[in-house]
Amino acid sequence: MEIQNLMSDIRKNAIKRMDKQSPSDLAVTWTSEDLLYSGKGNAVFIIIPTSGCAHALSESGGCTMCSYIADSPLEEVSSEESARIFKNLMERHEIKPKTAVKIFVSGSFLNEEELPKEARDEILKILNNEENVEEVIVESRPEYVTEEVIRECCSLLPDKIFEVSMGLESSSDYIKKYRINKGFSNEDFKRAVGVIKKMKNNYKVTSKAYLFVKPILTSEKEAIDDAVASAQYAEKVGVDRISFCPATIHKGTLMELLWRRGSYQPPWIWSVLEIIKRVRSSSKIPVIMDTSGFGTRRGPFNCKKCNKKLKSLIIESNLNQTIPEEFECECKNRWAANVEFCDVTRSTCNITNK
Ligand code: SF4
Ligand SMILES: [Zn+2]
C-alpha cells in the first residue's frame, strides 16, 4: 500500500504542475530503420494523445518510472479528433515498402475508455489501406486483451500483422508490485498472451513483452539477472518478440525523486550489453534493446569515451540480431566492481558511472 500512496501523491503533484497542451500539440511522429518479422525495414512511430493511462490516473498512481501522463491533454479527445490527428501524422511520411507502424497512446490502445472504439476502428482502417504497411504495433495492459477486442482489430487488418505489446517489465511479481507498482501479475500477463496465442489460429496476431531494465531499489547485478530471467520467462509463456527498455529518468516520477536524492542511477551500458549477450545466446525469438537516452545524464551511461560507440553497436545488433563485438574501455573495471560489490542502491556505493 505504501508505494501506491507515494505514487498517488507524486502523480497528483506532477499533474498539478503540468502545462495544459492541446491534443494536436502533443501529437508526434518520426521514422527509423527497424527489424520486422520479415527482416530489416522501416518503422513509423506515431504518438496519439488520449485522456491518459487509466492505471496512472487511478488511485494507484501508476508505475514508478513512467511519465507518459505528461503526453496527455488530460481531457477526453473525441474519436473524430484522434482519427484526424492520426491521419495527419501518417500523411507526413512516404510509406516505404516493408514498414511497421508503431502507435503509442501513452497508455492502452485497447482500452476503449482511453481510445474510443470508433477512433481505433478508423485508425486501423486507414492502416489497412496502406499497401506497404506489414505490421501494426500497439501497446496495451493485459487486462484489455480479450478475444473480442483482438477479433475486432484483426478483422480490420486481414493481411497485416497486428502486434500487442505489453509491459511485463519483470517476471518477478515482487518487483512488479513493490518496485514498479505495475498493478498486474504474471498470471494476468499469461492469460493475455494465451488469448493472443489462441487467436493465431484465425488471425495474424502476435504479442511482445516490454521488459524494464533496472527498476528502483535494484542493484546493478540484480537488474542484469532479473532482465535475463524475465526474457526467459516471457519466451516460455509464448511471446513472439521481446523489447528491453533500460531505465531513463523521467520527470515527475518516483524514480526521479530517488535519483535526485542520490539513491538511484540508471544502468551502465555494460550491463545492457551483458543482458544482450546472455539473452541472445539462448533466445529463439527477436530481442530488441531500446537505446533511447543512452549516454545522457538521465539515461544509461558508461563514460564519455565509449557511450556513443556502444550505442551504435547495439543499434546495429538490433537490426542483425547478433551479439555486439567485444569492446574494451577503461570504465569497464569500474562497472565490474559495481556489479560485484554494490548493494541495492548506489546511495552507499561510490563506484558510479556519473
Ligand atoms: S508504464 Fe504503462 S501502465 Fe504503467 S503508468 Fe505508464 S503507461 Fe500506464
Ligand atoms: Zn568507457
Side-chain angles (χ1 to χ4, degrees), residues 28-32 34 43-47 93 100-104:
V28 185
T29 184
W30 70 95
T31 58
S32 80
D34 211 332
V44 173
F45 296 80
I46 293 195
I47 297 186
H93 307 290
V101 175
K102 302 188 174 189
I103 306 169
F104 301 94

Side-chain angles (χ1 to χ4, degrees), residues 59-283:
E59 273 309 299
S60 77
C63 304
T64 54
M65 70 298 190
C66 176
S67 68
Y68 281 173
I69 208 76
D71 298 331
S72 163
L74 295 176
E75 60 179 31
E76 291 296 315
V77 185
S78 71
S79 297
E80 295 74 31
E81 188 164 17
S82 298
R84 187 180 52 75
I85 289 173
F86 179 78
K87 202 161 177 266
N88 287 345
L89 294 177
M90 279 293 285
E91 280 168 0
R92 288 196 205 163
H93 307 290
E94 184 206 334
I95 308 294
K96 299 182 192 148
K98 279 174 86 89
T99 289
V101 175
K102 302 188 174 189
I103 306 169
F104 301 94
V105 296
S106 309
S108 294
F109 183 87
L110 302 181
N111 178 8
E112 291 173 18
E113 306 276 312
E114 294 173 46
L115 182 75
K117 181 176 180 315
E118 297 73 40
R120 188 176 80 204
D121 287 355
E122 195 49 38
I123 289 168
L124 297 178
K125 280 181 200 162
I126 294 170
L127 288 166
N128 191 48
N129 288 331
E130 288 286 350
E131 200 188 335
N132 287 335
V133 171
E134 282 184 14
E135 300 177 10
V136 174
I137 300 163
V138 301
E139 298 183 314
S140 180
R141 288 175 58 86
E143 59 262 38
Y144 306 115
V145 177
T146 62
E147 287 189 28
E148 191 190 350
V149 81
I150 297 296
R151 192 174 302 115
E152 284 170 2
C153 294
C154 291
S155 313
L156 295 170
L157 296 167
D159 301 319
K160 312 210 184 283
I161 292 173
F162 181 66
E163 182 159 271
V164 182
S165 314
M166 289 174 279
L168 172 67
E169 322 297 6
S170 164
S171 60
S172 154
D173 277 341
Y174 179 89
I175 291 180
K176 275 203 287 298
K177 185 168 178 181
Y178 294 107
R179 301 183 192 169
I180 299 181
N181 194 32
K182 196 71 212 179
F184 68 77
S185 68
N186 283 355
E187 273 313 302
D188 303 309
F189 178 77
K190 226 161 113 181
R191 184 206 59 79
V193 175
V195 167
I196 292 169
K197 273 160 77 178
K198 186 173 166 201
M199 302 303 279
K200 277 176 193 268
N201 293 330
N202 299 310
Y203 302 104
K204 289 164 85 172
V205 60
T206 56
S207 61
K208 176 164 74 197
Y210 281 125
L211 300 175
F212 191 69
V213 179
K214 205 170 176 205
I216 57 169
L217 308 172
T218 303
S219 71
E220 204 70 23
K221 180 173 187 325
E222 192 185 6
I224 299 169
D225 292 342
D226 177 61
V228 174
S230 300
Q232 287 164 349
Y233 171 81
E235 186 167 353
K236 203 169 101 209
V237 166
V239 300
D240 299 278
R241 261 198 292 223
I242 287 170
S243 181
F244 282 108
C245 309
T248 51
I249 313 283
H250 289 214
K251 288 210 169 105
T253 59
L254 177 55
M255 182 169 273
E256 185 189 46
L257 197 94
L258 294 174
W259 174 68
R260 286 191 185 284
R261 292 180 183 178
S263 301
Y264 178 81
Q265 278 294 340
W268 290 73
I269 300 176
W270 292 122
S271 298
V272 168
L273 272 175
E274 180 66 20
I275 293 165
I276 294 178
K277 265 191 215 163
R278 281 164 59 179
V279 175
R280 286 215 185 116
S281 59
S282 64
S283 174

Side-chain angles (χ1 to χ4, degrees), residues 220 266-272 301-302 331 335 338 346 352-353:
E220 204 70 23
W268 290 73
I269 300 176
W270 292 122
S271 298
V272 168
F301 201 93
N302 273 359
C331 67
W335 163 73
N338 185 299
R346 292 201 197 169
T352 71
N353 47 359

